Amino acid sequence: MMDTEKYLIALENFICKLQQLPDSDPEQVPEDMAVLCRALRVGKAESVIYENEGTAQQGTFATACFYDGGNSSADDCVSRRVNAADGKTAFYNMYPIKGESEWTQEERNRIDALTAVLSVLNGKSKIVRSIRYMTSHDMELGVYNIKHFMMTASMLCRSRQIFRYTAVRFNLKRFSVVNEHIGRENGTQVMIRFIGLINDVLKDENELTCRVGGDNFLTLVRTENLESVIKILSGTGVAYGEGRGERVLIKTTVGVYHVKDMGGSILPTDVMDRVSIAFKLAKDSPTTDIVYFNDEIFARIKRSNEISAAFPKALEQREFLVYYQPKVALDGRHIAGAEALCRWMHDGRMVSPGEFIPVLEQGLDICKLDFYMLDAVCRDIRKWLDSGRDVVRISVNMSRRHLTEIDLLERIIEIVDRNNVPHKYIELELTETTTDVEFKDLKNIIAGLRQAGIATAVDDFGIGYSSLNLIKELPWDVLKLDRSLLPAEGDENAAQKGVMFRYIVAMAQEMGLECVSEGAETAEQIRLLSEYKCNISQGFYFDRPLPAEEFEKRLDKSFVYER
Ligand code: C2E
Ligand code: MG
Ligand code: MG
């Protein structure tokens, strides 16, 4: 006979314990389940799940045992059938204890109620578990996802254990080519196996690899295990297919951040940001596949952040000044034009463009600066014209970042016209572009400017992917040859450079372009320019970039540079 009081206490304990579990899984409280079963004179409690209703009873898909006293009888059974949401059918079976008297009707009712409770709880815990799996895993590869990485990192940051770990961000090199060669399915298999190799060297419960997306991954590894991970990432053969010895060599581009205790608090986003910066540097580097985040990188980023933060106010307070570097016509040694170059007077010190332009170019702040510069140049030109000076054409730099602006042309013309400056006094310098999309935008802008009577120049020709073909396609007015093309004293390959220079100038001139040589510093270089028939020089030999008041003197009619 059932002892009702014992049963009620057992039931209460069972429910209390389950409530404390995040997913109320009855399999996780075996002791309480056993007490409850014994109180109900149950010898064994189990669930059997069948693949689907059609094949039910024909093949067992899975069984789960909630309790087995080792003394059950199969002669009787209270059973409950449940159709699960995933199309499977589950049976919750309770067997009596061998040799004991039959269950009373009251016992049967309670046992039946227990099967109902078990089926609901078990179903719920399965759903909770699968949701947990889905929210923490990448469903294609079955590895962790970024959300799980951030949760783990967050927990380690809070407990400050994170300082024992190193974050490694990596990309599988040329994996699209691997996919093309061996097929997408094999490619996926290779990815899973490669991550498996890395995970094999991870030992503690917080070490993990997650997929960031595509063929990009992040590993959090105890620093003492880092070397083993790096060894795999440096290049490992991975087998695929049916085991006939097919293998591919997987190499990676890697950013590493050994999380450093710098006293203050640290956030998982700091870890993510720093490892991503190291990764980006590795990706952009022509010489190395692996970059370790270090103090120097940290200082550079801090400086970048300071510049970005100070920029809006600096622009508002007109801390940016226009300096003018004359372009000199070599035949008459007179001024033939000038380039406007930006200088930043900040906190009593002059910051050079090399420091702040690359930072502003990471976002769209550079566009604000360029429009500010164009406006400032137009104001100066207007002033010079009003005071009766002979004004030369002034070139203003325009970052490639502008190319995505739909109304770029209108904005440029609006600024020039607002200042009442004849278009012939303005030239815009743009660097070459490498992508087709940019090329199209660039073409529209150059053509539009030409129509408006504003001249355009290709800046820094000779570095990067210079192509005369690209120049032929667009109606440029001026070609500015980069300083690196001009032979200098001590150059090993001065003779070849000279040949290149001469022929680029000849070809450009034949295409109707004016040629300006950047960066001539010596009399010998000026002599070479004459020899190469490049008539205009912008370089320190004649003048450095000058403050406006100094530059104005160069506009005097009587001014000529000495021979
Ligand atoms: P850039 O447009 O090619 O400008 C020419 C740079 O070469 C200037 O550097 C100039 O001072 C330098 N230079 C001229 N002659 C010589 C020489 O004989 N020897 C040497 N060693 N250097 C010479 P700066 O003023 O430091 O500007 C650097 C770059 O910053 C510019 O290169 C340009 O790309 C960018 N920049 C400057 N102002 C602006 C601006 O207002 N907007 C944008 N988007 N970029 C700007
Ligand atoms: Mg320039
Ligand atoms: Mg230049």
Side-chain angles (χ1 to χ4, degrees):
M1 277 292 286
M2 171 185 63
D3 179 336
T4 307
E5 195 171 334
K6 225 165 136 189
Y7 160 71
L8 288 174
I9 293 171
L11 185 64
E12 202 176 279
N13 280 339
F14 175 67
I15 290 170
C16 271
K17 283 275 178 60
L18 279 181
Q19 274 182 337
Q20 291 161 17
L21 295 174
D23 57 357
S24 320
D25 181 1
E27 285 178 78
Q28 286 177 21
V29 288
E31 281 306 312
D32 298 271
M33 187 68 205
V35 176
L36 188 58
C37 283
R38 283 198 293 267
L40 285 168
R41 299 197 301 130
V42 169
K44 185 178 175 186
E46 65 172 13
S47 76
V48 186
I49 299 165
Y50 296 95
E51 189 72 74
N52 59 52
E53 271 195 285
T55 60
Q57 318 297 354
Q58 287 168 10
T60 306
F61 180 67
T63 61
C65 187
F66 302 104
Y67 170 67
D68 189 356
N71 55 357
S72 60
S73 154
D75 294 344
D76 195 1
C77 176
V78 170
S79 186
R80 173 175 292 266
R81 174 197 179 112
V82 178
N83 292 330
D86 56 7
K88 291 172 187 157
T89 310
F91 288 85
Y92 288 82
N93 302 324
M94 303 283 190
Y95 299 95
I97 296 170
K98 203 185 273 175
E100 289 212 356
S101 59
E102 269 188 25
W103 284 321
T104 63
Q105 191 52 47
E106 192 193 349
E107 279 174 322
R108 279 186 180 279
N109 293 346
R110 289 201 163 137
I111 291 166
D112 189 43
L114 182 60
T115 60
V117 170
L118 274 184
S119 69
V120 170
L121 289 175
N122 198 224
K124 183 188 153 201
S125 78
K126 280 206 186 93
I127 291 170
V128 170
R129 258 179 283 160
S130 76
I131 289 176
R132 199 177 293 147
Y133 182 86
M134 282 194 286
T135 51
S136 62
H137 284 73
D138 172 87
M139 295 315 282
E140 191 189 9
L141 302 186
V143 302
Y144 284 120
N145 61 19
I146 186 78
K147 186 165 166 260
H148 185 76
F149 177 94
M150 292 305 262
M151 270 171 62
T152 308
S154 172
M155 185 268 290
L156 293 171
C157 285
R158 272 199 307 275
S159 65
R160 301 189 74 75
Q161 285 183 68
I162 193 78
F163 305 122
R164 297 187 187 146
Y165 292 81
T166 293
V168 183
R169 185 175 175 155
F170 59 95
N171 169 269
L172 311 185
K173 277 182 149 187
R174 291 181 283 277
F175 204 72
S176 54
V177 180
V178 173
N179 268 335
E180 255 169 52
H181 278 202
I182 67 175
R184 215 187 142 79
E185 219 167 276
N186 283 329
T188 305
Q189 191 185 32
V190 165
M191 251 198 238
I192 293 171
R193 286 188 178 166
F194 186 70
I195 301 306
L197 292 174
I198 294 166
N199 287 343
D200 283 348
V201 303
L202 307 182
K203 294 290 178 286
D204 91 28
E205 57 183 8
N206 297 317
E207 289 180 302
L208 62 98
T209 301
C210 83
R211 185 186 201 181
V212 181
D215 56 0
N216 291 292
F217 299 87
L218 255 171
T219 294
L220 193 62
V221 54
R222 288 286 290 240
T223 302
E224 63 266 27
N225 292 335
L226 177 66
E227 215 172 298
S228 315
V229 172
I230 298 295
K231 200 164 164 231
I232 297 168
L233 294 178
S234 308
T236 300
V238 180
Y240 66 92
E242 323 277 69
R244 285 191 292 264
E246 300 107 324
R247 287 170 92 78
V248 275
L249 178 65
I250 299 296
K251 287 187 172 182
T252 58
T253 308
V254 191
V256 181
Y257 174 50
H258 171 205
V259 189
K260 209 171 143 189
D261 190 351
M262 292 193 281
S265 62
I266 179 150
L267 295 171
T269 42
D270 295 331
V271 177
M272 187 67 185
D273 289 350
R274 288 167 201 172
V275 75
S276 300
I277 287 161
F279 171 71
K280 187 168 183 304
L281 292 174
K283 221 170 167 157
D284 294 343
S285 165
T287 50
T288 180
D289 284 336
I290 175 159
V291 169
Y292 291 80
F293 189 90
N294 57 24
D295 290 348
E296 191 228 308
I297 298 175
F298 187 73
R300 222 160 58 205
I301 289 157
K302 207 164 143 247
R303 181 73 187 130
S304 290
N305 292 342
E306 283 166 7
I307 289 170
S308 302
F311 177 74
K313 200 160 163 222
L315 196 69
E316 200 185 295
Q317 301 193 334
R318 305 196 73 83
E319 289 180 7
F320 295 97
L321 306 177
V322 188
Y323 273 46
Y324 293 92
Q325 187 177 31
K327 297 174 192 171
V328 179
L330 296 185
D331 43 14
R333 299 276 161 137
H334 60 270
I335 182 162
E339 176 175 8
L341 291 158
C342 188
R343 298 291 179 265
W344 184 10
M345 282 303 293
H346 188 56
D347 286 343
R349 148 181 121 87
M350 187 148 84
V351 188
S352 85
E355 198 175 335
F356 65 85
I357 297 277
V359 175
L360 302 181
E361 274 185 329
Q362 281 165 19
L364 292 176
D365 279 346
I366 189 67
C367 302
K368 292 185 192 147
L369 180 72
D370 287 343
F371 287 135
Y372 167 100
M373 287 287 290
L374 178 62
D375 181 64
V377 166
C378 288
R379 287 180 194 207
D380 280 345
I381 295 177
R382 191 62 254 163
K383 196 178 73 189
W384 295 328
L385 287 171
D386 289 345
S387 62
R389 286 182 193 279
D390 264 353
V391 178
V392 288
R393 193 164 77 195
I394 308 289
S395 64
V396 177
N397 289 285
M398 283 279 143
S399 160
R400 287 237 296 268
R401 279 278 179 178
H402 288 280
L403 293 179
T404 49
E405 285 174 65
I406 314 167
D407 57 352
L408 175 59
L409 190 63
E410 287 80 3
R411 286 191 73 179
I412 292 169
I413 294 172
E414 188 275 322
I415 293 170
V416 180
D417 289 349
R418 174 157 37 84
N419 286 286
N420 195 18
V421 166
H423 293 187
K424 63 173 182 178
Y425 290 121
I426 300 294
E427 174 179 317
L428 295 175
E429 293 191 10
L430 286 133
T431 49
E432 295 163 89
T433 150
T434 45
T435 68
D436 289 350
V437 181
E438 269 190 2
F439 181 76
K440 253 183 162 171
D441 291 331
L442 192 60
K443 193 167 182 172
N444 290 336
I445 290 296
I446 303 298
L449 287 168
R450 153 79 45 115
Q451 216 171 15
I454 294 176
T456 55
V458 189
D459 202 359
D460 304 335
F461 184 82
I463 51 172
Y465 301 91
S466 304
S467 119
L468 281 170
N469 195 37
L470 218 106
I471 285 161
K472 186 193 77 192
E473 299 289 317
L474 304 180
W476 301 95
D477 300 284
V478 179
L479 187 71
K480 294 191 78 178
L481 294 108
D482 190 72
R483 190 154 67 88
S484 58
L485 284 183
L486 185 63
E489 217 171 304
D491 265 356
E492 271 175 33
N493 49 355
Q496 285 106 311
K497 264 177 150 181
V499 174
M500 267 176 69
F501 199 101
R502 182 197 302 268
Y503 285 102
I504 290 172
V505 169
M507 278 195 279
Q509 283 172 346
E510 206 156 305
M511 286 177 190
L513 290 153
E514 180 182 299
C515 288
V516 177
S517 164
E518 298 184 304
E521 294 182 356
T522 64
E524 170 59 13
Q525 286 177 317
I526 298 296
R527 194 194 62 74
L528 281 177
L529 289 182
S530 298
E531 188 187 318
Y532 301 150
K533 308 224 164 16
C534 176
N535 188 40
I536 300 174
S537 161
Q538 178 192 336
F540 291 174
Y541 177 77
F542 291 114
D543 262 323
R544 288 181 176 256
L546 305 167
E549 316 78 65
E550 193 67 24
F551 175 68
E552 280 172 12
K553 295 180 192 158
R554 306 288 186 272
L555 295 176
D556 283 348
K557 285 186 179 57
S558 55
F559 185 88
V560 282
Y561 289 88
E562 281 172 26
R563 286 204 181 252

